[in-house]
Amino acid sequence: DPLRLAAPQVTSIEADKSSLWIGTSAGLMRYAFASKHLQAVPDFEGQAIGKLELDPSGRLWVAPLTGGLWLHTQDGHWVDALQSAAGAPPTTQVTALLADPHKPGGMFAAFVNGGIYNWNGDAWTSIDRRRWPQGDRIQALAMEPSDDSLWIGSEIGLSRLDNLSLFPYDSHDGMQNGAIRAIARQPD
């Protein structure tokens, strides 16, 4: 069947100008709008995909659940975004991605037991000045447009990171205890 997914479990979806990229529990699929053709991406066959994100340059970033972070370049090649990159984090399993709207090709990435890093096009930089405790995985990132602070959803709740500090929100702030797996911004 030409429109059959690699697996029934869809983990992430991103759309660029020409394609719909579909992360599944068994690989990455690409649906080309013009040809209406769905095909598996051979580089990720059999790999569970955790996160997909498009950067401001329109390039796709892919984070398999087994670790690693791959970038689909404008010329159609896949590049390991962590291999031999300056400032690369000590771990490779990515749990959240967020395009950096202020840097062409920029990306924020959260790593298991490694914190949050920012890719500026040349190097990775740790931005949260701390390591997240064992058992607290970051699941979601969102940027506050008014001051560029980051909202962070994790296994233990919601936090906000600005230029000065990390502020956790808890039951004293009206939050229920528990994991935050997605953050959505209400349009103005």
Side-chain angles (χ1 to χ4, degrees):
D1 182 359
L3 293 178
R4 185 178 193 92
L5 292 175
Q9 298 85 17
V10 174
T11 57
S12 191
I13 297 175
E14 282 290 330
D16 60 24
K17 293 178 183 175
S18 63
S19 304
L20 181 68
W21 298 90
I22 307 164
T24 75
S25 59
L28 179 64
M29 308 291 295
R30 178 179 177 255
Y31 177 78
F33 297 134
S35 67
K36 295 184 169 67
H37 183 72
L38 179 69
Q39 69 181 53
V41 178
D43 301 83
F44 299 98
E45 191 171 334
Q47 294 185 56
I49 303 301
K51 301 291 179 184
L52 300 175
E53 184 80 12
L54 289 169
D55 68 23
S57 298
R59 301 175 306 172
L60 182 71
W61 293 68
V62 178
L65 287 176
T66 54
L69 184 59
W70 297 89
L71 174 62
H72 192 242
T73 62
Q74 299 291 356
D75 62 0
H77 293 95
W78 291 99
V79 175
D80 186 337
L82 301 175
Q83 189 72 9
S84 71
T91 180
T92 64
Q93 189 176 5
V94 175
T95 58
L97 291 170
L98 175 67
D100 184 342
H102 303 298
K103 298 174 187 153
M107 185 65 61
F108 292 98
F111 294 87
V112 170
N113 301 325
I116 303 168
Y117 282 72
N118 181 253
W119 174 253
N120 66 9
D122 296 315
W124 289 100
T125 304
S126 175
I127 64 158
D128 63 353
R129 299 183 287 289
R130 79 173 198 134
R131 299 291 180 248
W132 290 78
Q134 293 284 343
D136 185 18
R137 287 185 179 203
I138 296 169
Q139 298 292 323
L141 296 169
M143 184 169 283
E144 171 67 42
S146 65
D147 64 4
D148 292 339
S149 59
L150 282 180
W151 288 92
I152 303 163
S154 72
E155 291 294 326
I156 62 170
L158 183 67
S159 300
R160 185 172 178 266
L161 177 68
D162 62 21
N163 289 331
L164 301 175
S165 64
L166 179 72
F167 183 80
Y169 290 83
D170 57 24
S171 59
H172 299 296
D173 303 301
M175 293 290 300
Q176 290 183 334
N177 292 329
I180 303 293
R181 291 190 172 83
I183 302 171
R185 182 174 179 269
Q186 182 175 345
D188 296 333

